[in-house]
Amino acid sequence: MTTRPPPRGGPKGRKPPSGKFQPYGDRARTGPRTSARDAAERAARNRGDDAGARDPWTAPGTPHAVAAAAAAAAAAAAKPRPRPARVERDDAAPPRKAPPRPSARPAAKAYAKPVETRPAAQPSPPAPPAGPTRREQRAAASATLASGVQTLTVEADEAGMRIDRFLTARFPLLPFTRVQSIVRKGELRVDGKRAKPNDRLEPGMSVRVPPLRLDQPTERPRSAAREQDDAEFLRSLILYEDADMMVLNKPFGLAVQGGSGTVRHVDGLLAALTGPDGQKPRLVHRLDKDTAGCLIIAKTRLAAATLAKSFRSRAARKIYWALTAGVPRVRQGRVSTYLAKDEPTDADARMRVAKHGDEGASHALTYYAMVDQAAQKLSWLSFKPVTGRTHQLRAHAAHIGHPIVGDPKYFSVENWELPGGIQNRLHLLARRIVIPHPRTGRPVDVSAPLPQHMAQSWNLLGFDASRYDPIVEAPES
Protein backbone atom coordinates (compact mmCIF):
# COMPACT_ATOMS: atom_id res chain seq x y z
CA MET A 1 0.00 0.00 0.00
CA THR A 2 1.35 3.34 -0.97
CA THR A 3 0.69 6.38 1.17
CA ARG A 4 1.26 9.93 0.17
CA PRO A 5 3.33 12.11 2.50
CA PRO A 6 1.48 14.95 4.20
CA PRO A 7 1.76 18.29 2.45
CA ARG A 8 4.64 20.44 3.61
CA GLY A 9 3.61 23.81 4.87
CA GLY A 10 0.90 23.15 7.46
CA PRO A 11 -2.85 23.02 6.90
CA LYS A 12 -4.12 23.13 3.36
CA GLY A 13 -4.80 26.53 1.99
CA ARG A 14 -2.69 28.40 4.61
CA LYS A 15 0.15 30.45 3.24
CA PRO A 16 3.01 31.95 5.17
CA PRO A 17 2.44 35.61 5.90
CA SER A 18 4.10 37.95 3.47
CA GLY A 19 6.93 40.10 4.66
CA LYS A 20 8.33 37.52 7.09
CA PHE A 21 11.80 36.14 6.65
CA GLN A 22 11.74 32.68 5.02
CA PRO A 23 15.07 30.98 5.65
CA TYR A 24 14.48 28.41 2.88
CA GLY A 25 13.36 30.71 0.09
CA ASP A 26 9.77 30.16 -1.05
CA ARG A 27 9.44 26.90 0.92
CA ALA A 28 7.21 27.25 3.96
CA ARG A 29 8.69 26.58 7.38
CA THR A 30 7.96 23.13 8.83
CA GLY A 31 8.96 23.94 12.42
CA PRO A 32 6.81 25.45 15.17
CA ARG A 33 4.57 28.26 14.09
CA THR A 34 5.48 30.33 17.11
CA SER A 35 9.03 30.96 18.32
CA ALA A 36 10.86 33.54 20.36
CA ARG A 37 11.99 35.28 17.19
CA ASP A 38 8.43 35.43 15.84
CA ALA A 39 7.21 36.88 19.10
CA ALA A 40 9.97 39.47 19.10
CA GLU A 41 9.16 40.43 15.52
CA ARG A 42 5.44 40.78 16.27
CA ALA A 43 6.16 42.88 19.34
CA ALA A 44 8.51 45.06 17.33
CA ARG A 45 5.90 45.60 14.63
CA ASN A 46 3.33 46.55 17.22
CA ARG A 47 5.76 49.04 18.75
CA GLY A 48 6.81 50.33 15.36
CA ASP A 49 10.58 49.92 15.91
CA ASP A 50 13.22 47.75 14.31
CA ALA A 51 13.51 44.27 15.81
CA GLY A 52 16.91 43.78 14.25
CA ALA A 53 18.33 46.54 16.41
CA ARG A 54 17.20 44.62 19.52
CA ASP A 55 18.45 41.21 18.35
CA PRO A 56 21.72 40.40 20.12
CA TRP A 57 22.15 37.00 18.42
CA THR A 58 22.24 38.21 14.82
CA ALA A 59 25.59 39.60 13.74
CA PRO A 60 25.54 42.50 11.26
CA GLY A 61 26.08 41.49 7.64
CA THR A 62 24.86 37.88 8.02
CA PRO A 63 21.86 36.60 5.97
CA HIS A 64 19.73 36.61 9.09
CA ALA A 65 20.64 40.21 9.78
CA VAL A 66 19.87 41.20 6.18
CA ALA A 67 16.54 39.41 6.26
CA ALA A 68 15.66 40.95 9.62
CA ALA A 69 16.37 44.42 8.28
CA ALA A 70 14.23 43.69 5.20
CA ALA A 71 11.33 42.47 7.32
CA ALA A 72 11.53 45.53 9.53
CA ALA A 73 11.48 47.82 6.50
CA ALA A 74 8.46 45.99 5.03
CA ALA A 75 6.59 46.21 8.31
CA ALA A 76 7.28 49.90 8.65
CA ALA A 77 6.10 50.52 5.05
CA ALA A 78 2.92 48.44 5.46
CA LYS A 79 1.83 50.07 8.71
CA PRO A 80 -0.79 52.77 8.07
CA ARG A 81 0.32 56.21 8.98
CA PRO A 82 -1.99 58.42 11.10
CA ARG A 83 -3.85 61.01 9.08
CA PRO A 84 -2.95 64.54 10.13
CA ALA A 85 -5.66 66.86 11.38
CA ARG A 86 -7.25 69.07 8.81
CA VAL A 87 -6.07 72.65 8.93
CA GLU A 88 -7.85 75.57 7.42
CA ARG A 89 -5.73 77.06 4.66
CA ASP A 90 -5.70 80.29 2.82
CA ASP A 91 -7.48 80.18 -0.52
CA ALA A 92 -4.40 81.58 -2.19
CA ALA A 93 -2.23 78.73 -1.00
CA PRO A 94 -1.94 75.94 -3.54
CA PRO A 95 -3.34 72.61 -2.45
CA ARG A 96 -0.75 70.06 -1.21
CA LYS A 97 -0.47 66.93 -3.22
CA ALA A 98 -1.07 63.71 -1.41
CA PRO A 99 2.04 61.59 -0.90
CA PRO A 100 2.22 58.47 -2.99
CA ARG A 101 0.96 55.37 -1.26
CA PRO A 102 3.56 52.73 -0.45
CA SER A 103 3.84 49.78 -2.71
CA ALA A 104 2.10 46.63 -1.68
CA ARG A 105 5.23 44.46 -2.10
CA PRO A 106 8.37 46.23 -0.92
CA ALA A 107 9.79 43.11 0.75
CA ALA A 108 11.62 41.77 -2.30
CA LYS A 109 13.44 45.03 -2.91
CA ALA A 110 14.21 45.36 0.78
CA TYR A 111 15.59 41.81 0.83
CA ALA A 112 17.76 42.50 -2.18
CA LYS A 113 19.22 45.62 -0.61
CA PRO A 114 19.02 45.84 3.18
CA VAL A 115 18.16 49.10 4.79
CA GLU A 116 21.09 50.60 6.68
CA THR A 117 20.59 53.16 9.38
CA ARG A 118 23.64 55.25 10.07
CA PRO A 119 23.93 57.48 13.10
CA ALA A 120 24.49 61.14 12.60
CA ALA A 121 28.10 62.15 12.41
CA GLN A 122 29.41 63.18 15.79
CA PRO A 123 32.03 65.89 16.09
CA SER A 124 35.45 64.41 16.85
CA PRO A 125 36.53 65.01 20.44
CA PRO A 126 39.42 67.40 20.96
CA ALA A 127 42.87 65.84 21.22
CA PRO A 128 43.96 65.30 24.83
CA PRO A 129 46.68 67.66 26.01
CA ALA A 130 50.20 66.33 26.17
CA GLY A 131 51.09 64.80 29.54
CA PRO A 132 53.74 66.19 31.86
CA THR A 133 57.34 65.21 31.39
CA ARG A 134 59.25 63.11 33.90
CA ARG A 135 60.91 66.21 35.28
CA GLU A 136 57.53 67.87 35.80
CA GLN A 137 56.16 64.73 37.47
CA ARG A 138 59.06 64.60 39.91
CA ALA A 139 58.69 68.29 40.67
CA ALA A 140 54.96 67.86 41.28
CA ALA A 141 55.56 64.86 43.54
CA SER A 142 58.15 66.76 45.54
CA ALA A 143 55.83 69.76 45.85
CA THR A 144 53.06 67.60 47.35
CA LEU A 145 55.20 65.97 50.02
CA ALA A 146 53.40 67.85 52.80
CA SER A 147 49.89 67.23 51.44
CA GLY A 148 49.23 64.19 53.64
CA VAL A 149 48.63 60.55 52.74
CA GLN A 150 49.09 59.80 49.05
CA THR A 151 48.20 56.80 46.93
CA LEU A 152 50.46 56.19 43.95
CA THR A 153 49.90 53.79 41.06
CA VAL A 154 52.81 51.86 39.61
CA GLU A 155 53.25 52.60 35.91
CA ALA A 156 54.26 50.11 33.21
CA ASP A 157 57.82 51.46 32.96
CA GLU A 158 58.26 51.02 36.74
CA ALA A 159 57.71 47.26 36.67
CA GLY A 160 60.26 45.27 38.64
CA MET A 161 61.54 48.25 40.66
CA ARG A 162 62.34 47.81 44.32
CA ILE A 163 59.96 49.65 46.60
CA ASP A 164 62.74 51.84 48.05
CA ARG A 165 64.00 52.75 44.58
CA PHE A 166 60.44 53.51 43.52
CA LEU A 167 60.06 56.05 46.33
CA THR A 168 63.46 57.57 45.60
CA ALA A 169 62.52 58.00 41.95
CA ARG A 170 59.11 59.51 42.75
CA PHE A 171 60.43 61.75 45.55
CA PRO A 172 64.02 62.73 44.67
CA LEU A 173 64.12 65.27 47.54
CA LEU A 174 63.40 62.58 50.12
CA PRO A 175 66.60 61.25 51.78
CA PHE A 176 67.23 57.57 51.25
CA THR A 177 67.56 57.04 55.01
CA ARG A 178 64.04 58.43 55.43
CA VAL A 179 62.77 56.04 52.71
CA GLN A 180 64.28 53.08 54.53
CA SER A 181 62.78 54.25 57.81
CA ILE A 182 59.30 54.51 56.28
CA VAL A 183 59.47 50.99 54.88
CA ARG A 184 61.02 49.49 58.01
CA LYS A 185 58.34 50.92 60.31
CA GLY A 186 55.53 49.61 58.12
CA GLU A 187 54.19 53.06 57.28
CA LEU A 188 54.15 52.22 53.59
CA ARG A 189 51.60 49.77 52.19
CA VAL A 190 51.46 48.06 48.80
CA ASP A 191 47.95 46.90 47.89
CA GLY A 192 47.06 47.19 51.58
CA LYS A 193 49.95 45.03 52.80
CA ARG A 194 53.23 45.86 54.47
CA ALA A 195 56.21 45.93 52.15
CA LYS A 196 59.91 45.18 52.51
CA PRO A 197 62.61 47.40 50.97
CA ASN A 198 63.58 44.75 48.41
CA ASP A 199 60.02 43.91 47.32
CA ARG A 200 59.45 44.30 43.60
CA LEU A 201 56.54 46.25 42.14
CA GLU A 202 54.27 45.32 39.25
CA PRO A 203 52.20 47.65 37.03
CA GLY A 204 48.87 48.66 38.51
CA MET A 205 49.86 48.15 42.15
CA SER A 206 48.64 50.77 44.62
CA VAL A 207 51.31 52.25 46.91
CA ARG A 208 50.10 54.15 49.98
CA VAL A 209 52.62 56.77 51.11
CA PRO A 210 52.32 58.36 54.58
CA PRO A 211 52.52 62.12 55.10
CA LEU A 212 56.01 63.34 54.25
CA ARG A 213 57.42 66.61 55.55
CA LEU A 214 60.42 68.32 54.07
CA ASP A 215 61.86 71.80 54.20
CA GLN A 216 61.34 73.81 51.06
CA PRO A 217 64.25 73.05 48.75
CA THR A 218 66.55 75.85 47.81
CA GLU A 219 67.45 76.15 44.18
CA ARG A 220 71.15 75.62 43.75
CA PRO A 221 72.60 77.24 40.69
CA ARG A 222 73.99 74.68 38.26
CA SER A 223 77.03 75.56 36.26
CA ALA A 224 76.39 75.09 32.56
CA ALA A 225 80.12 74.82 31.90
CA ARG A 226 80.53 72.10 34.52
CA GLU A 227 77.57 70.14 33.16
CA GLN A 228 79.09 70.34 29.69
CA ASP A 229 82.42 69.08 31.02
CA ASP A 230 80.70 66.19 32.81
CA ALA A 231 78.76 65.29 29.68
CA GLU A 232 81.91 65.32 27.54
CA PHE A 233 83.72 63.19 30.11
CA LEU A 234 80.98 60.57 30.11
CA ARG A 235 80.80 60.53 26.32
CA SER A 236 84.54 59.84 26.20
CA LEU A 237 83.89 56.65 28.21
CA ILE A 238 81.18 55.23 25.95
CA LEU A 239 81.97 51.80 24.49
CA TYR A 240 78.48 51.15 23.09
CA GLU A 241 75.38 53.32 22.74
CA ASP A 242 71.91 53.21 21.19
CA ALA A 243 68.51 54.74 21.94
CA ASP A 244 67.88 52.48 24.97
CA MET A 245 71.21 51.84 26.67
CA MET A 246 74.91 52.52 26.72
CA VAL A 247 77.99 50.79 28.12
CA LEU A 248 80.67 52.91 29.79
CA ASN A 249 84.32 52.05 30.35
CA LYS A 250 84.41 53.02 34.03
CA PRO A 251 87.89 54.16 35.01
CA PHE A 252 89.81 53.05 38.08
CA GLY A 253 89.06 55.12 41.18
CA LEU A 254 85.67 56.53 40.07
CA ALA A 255 82.81 55.49 42.35
CA VAL A 256 79.56 54.32 40.82
CA GLN A 257 77.33 55.79 43.55
CA GLY A 258 77.74 58.41 46.23
CA GLY A 259 78.55 57.65 49.83
CA SER A 260 80.26 59.05 52.87
CA GLY A 261 82.78 61.57 51.61
CA THR A 262 82.17 60.67 47.94
CA VAL A 263 81.26 63.72 45.88
CA ARG A 264 82.13 62.74 42.32
CA HIS A 265 80.52 59.51 41.10
CA VAL A 266 78.92 58.10 37.96
CA ASP A 267 75.37 58.42 39.24
CA GLY A 268 75.86 62.13 39.84
CA LEU A 269 77.59 62.70 36.52
CA LEU A 270 74.70 61.10 34.63
CA ALA A 271 72.56 64.15 35.44
CA ALA A 272 74.53 65.99 32.75
CA LEU A 273 73.04 63.61 30.13
CA THR A 274 69.41 64.27 31.09
CA GLY A 275 67.24 64.30 27.96
CA PRO A 276 64.70 66.94 26.87
CA ASP A 277 61.89 64.89 28.44
CA GLY A 278 63.58 65.01 31.84
CA GLN A 279 64.67 61.36 31.89
CA LYS A 280 68.08 60.89 33.47
CA PRO A 281 70.12 57.81 32.50
CA ARG A 282 70.01 55.17 35.23
CA LEU A 283 72.44 52.69 36.70
CA VAL A 284 71.60 49.03 36.10
CA HIS A 285 74.35 47.37 38.15
CA ARG A 286 77.39 48.41 40.15
CA LEU A 287 81.14 47.99 40.16
CA ASP A 288 83.55 48.60 43.01
CA LYS A 289 85.26 51.97 43.05
CA ASP A 290 88.65 50.49 42.12
CA THR A 291 87.28 48.04 39.55
CA ALA A 292 87.51 49.26 35.97
CA GLY A 293 85.59 48.10 32.90
CA CYS A 294 82.10 47.64 31.48
CA LEU A 295 79.28 49.46 33.26
CA ILE A 296 75.77 49.33 31.76
CA ILE A 297 73.59 52.44 31.83
CA ALA A 298 69.89 52.51 30.86
CA LYS A 299 68.55 55.59 29.09
CA THR A 300 64.87 55.01 29.95
CA ARG A 301 63.02 53.64 32.95
CA LEU A 302 61.59 50.78 30.88
CA ALA A 303 65.07 49.79 29.66
CA ALA A 304 66.36 49.92 33.24
CA ALA A 305 63.62 47.57 34.44
CA THR A 306 64.24 45.14 31.57
CA LEU A 307 68.02 45.11 32.03
CA ALA A 308 67.65 44.66 35.79
CA LYS A 309 65.49 41.59 35.14
CA SER A 310 68.23 40.21 32.88
CA PHE A 311 70.71 40.47 35.76
CA ARG A 312 68.30 38.92 38.26
CA SER A 313 67.51 36.02 35.93
CA ARG A 314 71.25 35.55 35.22
CA ALA A 315 70.75 36.14 31.51
CA ALA A 316 73.76 38.49 31.52
CA ARG A 317 77.21 36.96 31.05
CA LYS A 318 80.22 38.69 32.64
CA ILE A 319 83.94 38.03 32.34
CA TYR A 320 86.56 39.63 34.59
CA TRP A 321 90.36 39.70 34.29
CA ALA A 322 92.63 39.87 37.32
CA LEU A 323 96.29 39.69 38.23
CA THR A 324 96.67 37.42 41.26
CA ALA A 325 99.47 36.33 43.55
CA GLY A 326 100.82 32.83 42.97
CA VAL A 327 99.82 30.17 40.47
CA PRO A 328 96.83 27.90 41.22
CA ARG A 329 97.47 24.16 41.04
CA VAL A 330 94.13 23.61 39.32
CA ARG A 331 94.25 25.71 36.18
CA GLN A 332 90.46 25.77 35.79
CA GLY A 333 88.03 25.40 38.64
CA ARG A 334 84.84 26.33 40.43
CA VAL A 335 84.43 28.24 43.69
CA SER A 336 81.14 27.81 45.56
CA THR A 337 80.78 29.37 49.03
CA TYR A 338 78.44 31.40 51.19
CA LEU A 339 79.40 35.02 51.79
CA ALA A 340 78.32 37.35 54.59
CA LYS A 341 79.40 40.80 55.75
CA ASP A 342 81.65 41.21 58.75
CA GLU A 343 79.69 44.32 59.68
CA PRO A 344 76.07 44.08 58.43
CA THR A 345 75.46 47.81 58.91
CA ASP A 346 78.49 48.84 56.83
CA ALA A 347 77.75 48.94 53.10
CA ASP A 348 81.45 48.60 52.20
CA ALA A 349 82.38 46.05 54.84
CA ARG A 350 84.66 43.11 54.17
CA MET A 351 82.96 39.88 53.08
CA ARG A 352 83.78 36.62 54.81
CA VAL A 353 83.17 33.01 53.87
CA ALA A 354 80.22 31.83 55.95
CA LYS A 355 78.24 28.66 56.46
CA HIS A 356 74.86 27.81 55.08
CA GLY A 357 72.23 29.14 57.43
CA ASP A 358 74.35 31.92 58.93
CA GLU A 359 72.65 35.28 59.31
CA GLY A 360 73.04 37.35 56.15
CA ALA A 361 74.83 34.56 54.27
CA SER A 362 74.20 34.31 50.51
CA HIS A 363 75.41 31.68 48.08
CA ALA A 364 78.12 32.79 45.65
CA LEU A 365 79.34 30.83 42.63
CA THR A 366 82.35 31.67 40.43
CA TYR A 367 84.22 29.86 37.66
CA TYR A 368 87.86 30.71 37.02
CA ALA A 369 90.54 29.81 34.48
CA MET A 370 94.24 30.64 34.34
CA VAL A 371 95.16 32.31 31.06
CA ASP A 372 98.90 32.85 31.68
CA GLN A 373 101.46 33.06 34.48
CA ALA A 374 104.81 34.76 35.10
CA ALA A 375 107.73 33.09 36.91
CA GLN A 376 105.42 31.01 39.12
CA LYS A 377 104.74 34.21 41.08
CA LEU A 378 101.89 35.98 39.28
CA SER A 379 98.88 34.65 37.38
CA TRP A 380 96.50 36.13 34.89
CA LEU A 381 93.14 34.72 35.96
CA SER A 382 89.85 35.05 34.13
CA PHE A 383 86.64 34.87 36.18
CA LYS A 384 83.04 34.18 35.21
CA PRO A 385 80.72 34.97 38.15
CA VAL A 386 77.34 33.26 38.09
CA THR A 387 75.96 35.17 41.07
CA GLY A 388 76.53 38.85 41.80
CA ARG A 389 77.44 39.24 45.47
CA THR A 390 79.34 42.15 46.96
CA HIS A 391 83.12 41.73 46.54
CA GLN A 392 82.45 38.20 45.25
CA LEU A 393 85.50 37.84 42.99
CA ARG A 394 87.87 39.49 45.44
CA ALA A 395 86.67 37.27 48.30
CA HIS A 396 86.77 34.09 46.17
CA ALA A 397 90.26 34.85 44.87
CA ALA A 398 91.49 35.23 48.45
CA HIS A 399 89.58 32.09 49.47
CA ILE A 400 91.50 29.89 46.99
CA GLY A 401 94.79 31.39 48.17
CA HIS A 402 95.43 33.72 45.23
CA PRO A 403 94.27 37.23 46.16
CA ILE A 404 94.16 39.97 43.57
CA VAL A 405 97.17 42.23 43.40
CA GLY A 406 96.56 45.68 44.90
CA ASP A 407 93.46 44.67 46.86
CA PRO A 408 93.54 46.58 50.18
CA LYS A 409 90.80 44.44 51.80
CA TYR A 410 91.57 40.84 50.85
CA PHE A 411 95.29 40.69 50.00
CA SER A 412 97.01 39.05 52.99
CA VAL A 413 99.94 36.98 51.67
CA GLU A 414 102.82 36.95 54.11
CA ASN A 415 106.33 37.87 52.99
CA TRP A 416 105.10 38.92 49.57
CA GLU A 417 106.65 41.88 47.82
CA LEU A 418 105.17 43.74 44.88
CA PRO A 419 107.35 43.25 41.80
CA GLY A 420 109.03 46.38 40.54
CA GLY A 421 107.18 48.31 37.87
CA ILE A 422 103.74 47.09 39.01
CA GLN A 423 101.55 49.70 40.65
CA ASN A 424 99.88 48.97 43.96
CA ARG A 425 96.36 49.31 42.54
CA LEU A 426 93.54 46.81 42.31
CA HIS A 427 94.21 44.72 39.19
CA LEU A 428 90.60 43.78 38.43
CA LEU A 429 88.84 44.56 35.14
CA ALA A 430 85.24 43.96 34.08
CA ARG A 431 86.55 42.78 30.73
CA ARG A 432 83.44 41.70 28.84
CA ILE A 433 79.67 41.65 29.20
CA VAL A 434 76.98 40.03 27.04
CA ILE A 435 73.37 40.94 27.80
CA PRO A 436 70.08 40.78 25.85
CA HIS A 437 69.04 44.12 24.42
CA PRO A 438 66.11 45.56 26.41
CA ARG A 439 63.98 46.12 23.30
CA THR A 440 65.08 43.63 20.64
CA GLY A 441 66.32 40.82 22.88
CA ARG A 442 69.42 40.33 20.74
CA PRO A 443 72.72 39.93 22.63
CA VAL A 444 74.84 43.04 23.10
CA ASP A 445 78.51 42.01 23.40
CA VAL A 446 80.92 44.68 24.66
CA SER A 447 84.57 44.41 25.76
CA ALA A 448 86.62 46.97 27.68
CA PRO A 449 90.35 47.61 27.21
CA LEU A 450 92.87 47.24 30.02
CA PRO A 451 93.17 50.29 32.27
CA GLN A 452 96.47 52.09 32.31
CA HIS A 453 97.96 50.42 35.40
CA MET A 454 96.92 46.93 34.23
CA ALA A 455 98.21 47.53 30.71
CA GLN A 456 101.56 48.50 32.23
CA SER A 457 101.67 45.26 34.24
CA TRP A 458 100.64 43.17 31.20
CA ASN A 459 103.47 44.69 29.14
CA LEU A 460 105.98 44.18 31.95
CA LEU A 461 105.02 40.51 32.44
CA GLY A 462 104.75 39.74 28.73
CA PHE A 463 101.04 38.91 28.74
CA ASP A 464 99.23 39.13 25.39
CA ALA A 465 95.77 40.65 25.85
CA SER A 466 94.60 39.08 22.57
CA ARG A 467 95.30 35.56 23.81
CA TYR A 468 92.42 33.06 23.87
CA ASP A 469 90.46 33.14 27.11
CA PRO A 470 89.43 29.62 28.21
CA ILE A 471 86.79 30.97 30.62
CA VAL A 472 84.33 31.27 27.72
CA GLU A 473 83.96 27.46 27.85
CA ALA A 474 83.02 27.48 31.53
CA PRO A 475 79.45 26.48 32.46
CA GLU A 476 76.78 29.14 32.84
CA SER A 477 75.34 27.88 36.13
Side-chain angles (χ1 to χ4, degrees):
M1 180 177 179
T2 303
T3 60
R4 301 179 66 181
R8 303 174 65 182
K12 186 174 181 181
R14 179 175 295 180
K15 296 182 179 180
S18 60
K20 280 193 176 181
F21 169 61
Q22 301 180 17
Y24 303 99
D26 297 334
R27 189 178 68 181
R29 291 180 293 182
T30 58
R33 297 189 182 93
T34 303
S35 64
R37 183 180 296 275
D38 296 334
E41 291 176 357
R42 286 196 300 272
R45 286 196 300 274
N46 294 334
R47 289 192 304 267
D49 59 358
D50 185 4
R54 299 174 178 266
D55 186 2
W57 302 280
T58 305
T62 59
H64 291 280
V66 174
K79 185 177 181 179
R81 299 182 180 179
R83 182 173 298 178
R86 188 169 184 178
V87 181
E88 297 295 334
R89 304 188 183 189
D90 190 5
D91 296 339
R96 180 178 296 180
K97 295 182 179 180
R101 300 184 65 180
S103 175
R105 302 186 59 173
K109 294 184 179 180
Y111 180 79
K113 186 175 182 180
V115 179
E116 297 183 1
T117 303
R118 298 183 179 179
Q122 298 292 337
S124 58
T133 63
R134 286 289 178 187
R135 180 177 297 175
E136 294 173 350
Q137 291 178 358
R138 290 197 301 267
S142 300
T144 58
L145 282 175
S147 62
V149 177
Q150 305 177 60
T151 301
L152 308 177
T153 303
V154 181
E155 303 295 339
D157 58 352
E158 295 171 332
M161 290 186 66
R162 288 168 45 124
I163 185 63
D164 51 359
R165 302 299 179 188
F166 171 79
L167 290 182
T168 303
R170 287 294 187 99
F171 303 100
L173 298 180
L174 191 66
F176 190 67
T177 54
R178 173 62 176 146
V179 171
Q180 292 178 323
S181 175
I182 292 173
V183 180
R184 184 175 61 253
K185 293 180 179 180
E187 299 177 1
L188 184 139
R189 299 298 178 100
V190 178
D191 288 343
K193 301 178 181 178
R194 295 187 60 170
K196 298 180 181 179
N198 58 350
D199 285 351
R200 303 284 176 175
L201 297 176
E202 296 299 333
M205 284 185 171
S206 177
V207 181
R208 179 187 177 277
V209 182
L212 306 174
R213 305 275 180 185
L214 281 181
D215 296 335
Q216 291 296 330
T218 57
E219 292 290 338
R220 294 185 300 174
R222 301 178 63 89
S223 172
R226 182 170 183 177
E227 284 193 357
Q228 184 177 0
D229 292 342
D230 292 344
E232 291 179 356
F233 171 71
L234 289 176
R235 292 190 182 99
S236 67
L237 304 179
I238 294 177
L239 298 173
Y240 170 85
E241 184 181 20
D242 59 25
D244 302 293
M245 59 177 289
M246 58 183 173
V247 182
L248 301 181
N249 180 22
K250 191 192 84 65
F252 167 86
L254 179 62
V256 174
Q257 289 180 305
S260 177
T262 303
V263 178
R264 184 176 174 84
H265 47 84
V266 176
D267 192 26
L269 296 175
L270 289 175
L273 299 181
T274 302
D277 58 350
Q279 289 210 51
K280 169 191 168 184
R282 298 168 175 82
L283 296 171
V284 177
H285 64 124
R286 294 178 296 175
L287 295 176
D288 295 339
K289 179 179 179 181
D290 293 339
T291 302
C294 298
L295 180 66
I296 296 181
I297 306 296
K299 288 188 173 182
T300 64
R301 188 184 299 275
L302 184 60
T306 306
L307 292 171
K309 288 182 180 179
S310 298
F311 277 98
R312 291 197 302 270
S313 62
R314 301 179 184 177
R317 299 289 180 260
K318 297 170 287 184
I319 293 178
Y320 289 76
W321 284 359
L323 183 66
T324 62
V327 179
R329 293 182 179 179
V330 181
R331 298 178 63 92
Q332 298 181 15
R334 174 179 180 267
V335 184
S336 177
T337 65
Y338 286 86
L339 297 178
K341 288 183 179 180
D342 281 339
E343 297 292 339
T345 58
D346 187 1
D348 197 34
R350 189 179 186 273
M351 304 295 292
R352 60 178 176 84
V353 176
K355 296 181 180 180
H356 177 55
D358 289 354
E359 182 179 0
S362 301
H363 180 248
L365 176 61
T366 304
Y367 289 91
Y368 76 90
M370 190 182 75
V371 184
D372 204 349
Q373 58 90 20
Q376 295 294 317
K377 190 173 185 179
L378 295 171
S379 297
W380 167 13
L381 293 186
S382 182
F383 295 98
K384 179 186 284 188
V386 177
T387 56
R389 311 304 178 194
T390 302
H391 300 171
Q392 175 174 323
L393 300 182
R394 298 162 63 180
H396 276 178
H399 177 66
I400 63 176
H402 303 284
I404 300 175
V405 173
D407 192 340
K409 288 184 178 293
Y410 300 92
F411 195 96
S412 59
V413 180
E414 296 181 359
N415 301 324
W416 195 89
E417 295 182 0
L418 189 69
I422 296 180
Q423 301 182 41
N424 190 18
R425 292 185 172 186
L426 182 65
H427 283 61
L428 181 60
L429 168 68
R431 168 64 176 177
R432 183 180 177 187
I433 190 165
V434 182
I435 191 169
H437 192 272
R439 185 162 43 86
T440 64
R442 297 178 180 177
V444 177
D445 189 353
V446 183
S447 297
L450 290 167
Q452 183 178 2
H453 68 284
M454 292 183 66
Q456 179 180 346
S457 301
W458 257 239
N459 292 334
L460 180 66
L461 300 174
F463 293 159
D464 183 8
S466 61
R467 185 169 178 172
Y468 173 72
D469 189 354
I471 199 65
V472 297
E473 300 178 357
E476 305 294 346
S477 60

